[in-house]
Amino acid sequence: MERPQPTIPVDGAAIRTRRKQLGLSRDQCATKAQISGPYLSQLENGVRREMRPPTYKRLRTALQIQQDDNSLLAPSEEQHRKDPHAGSEGAPQPHPEHPG
């Protein structure tokens, strides 16, 4: 029996942020990455959280992310536990122009 291909955990918010930084619409980005718009939407919204390596590579290329740049990857559980701000999700953050 053939083993399934491994998947790569991705950070949907990071994908959306990078796409917007490049000024790409969801459909433009999906076309460049050779994936469907609804699939990209599911990734960005966290409905899907993992991608197969070839698909991830195409998305990374479409978003002009270098191979050694992990900014689109979801943080590992270990990183999340070590992050002192990890427990502050949802906590109000000061506005950058008006620090609290």
Side-chain angles (χ1 to χ4, degrees), residues 6-10 15 35 39 43 49-53 55-57 59:
T7 57
I8 298 172
V10 294
I15 293 169
I35 59 177
Y39 178 66
L43 290 167
R49 297 176 184 206
E50 295 182 344
M51 301 178 76
R52 300 213 181 227
T55 309
Y56 174 72
K57 182 179 178 183
L59 179 61

Side-chain angles (χ1 to χ4, degrees), residues 2-3 17 19 22 25 32 41 52 62-63 66 68 82-84 87 93:
E2 195 173 317
R3 293 177 63 160
T17 298
R19 174 179 61 78
L22 295 172
S25 72
K32 284 179 177 253
S41 177
R52 300 213 181 227
L63 294 174
Q66 298 298 315
D68 60 348
K82 288 181 182 178
D83 183 355
Q93 299 294 320

Side-chain angles (χ1 to χ4, degrees), residues 23-97:
L24 295 172
S25 72
R26 188 172 288 139
D27 287 338
Q28 289 170 325
C29 182
T31 298
K32 284 179 177 253
Q34 301 171 14
I35 59 177
S36 72
Y39 178 66
L40 180 56
S41 177
Q42 291 173 348
L43 290 167
E44 289 185 352
N45 291 312
V47 174
R48 290 184 178 243
R49 297 176 184 206
E50 295 182 344
M51 301 178 76
R52 300 213 181 227
T55 309
Y56 174 72
K57 182 179 178 183
R58 291 193 313 267
L59 179 61
R60 200 181 61 226
T61 299
L63 294 174
Q64 301 174 15
I65 301 291
Q66 298 298 315
Q67 185 174 355
D68 60 348
D69 183 339
N70 295 330
S71 62
L72 299 182
L73 298 180
S76 70
E77 287 299 314
E78 185 176 311
Q79 287 173 328
H80 189 69
R81 284 192 298 267
K82 288 181 182 178
D83 183 355
H85 302 292
S88 65
E89 289 183 72
Q93 299 294 320
H95 190 279
E97 294 176 15

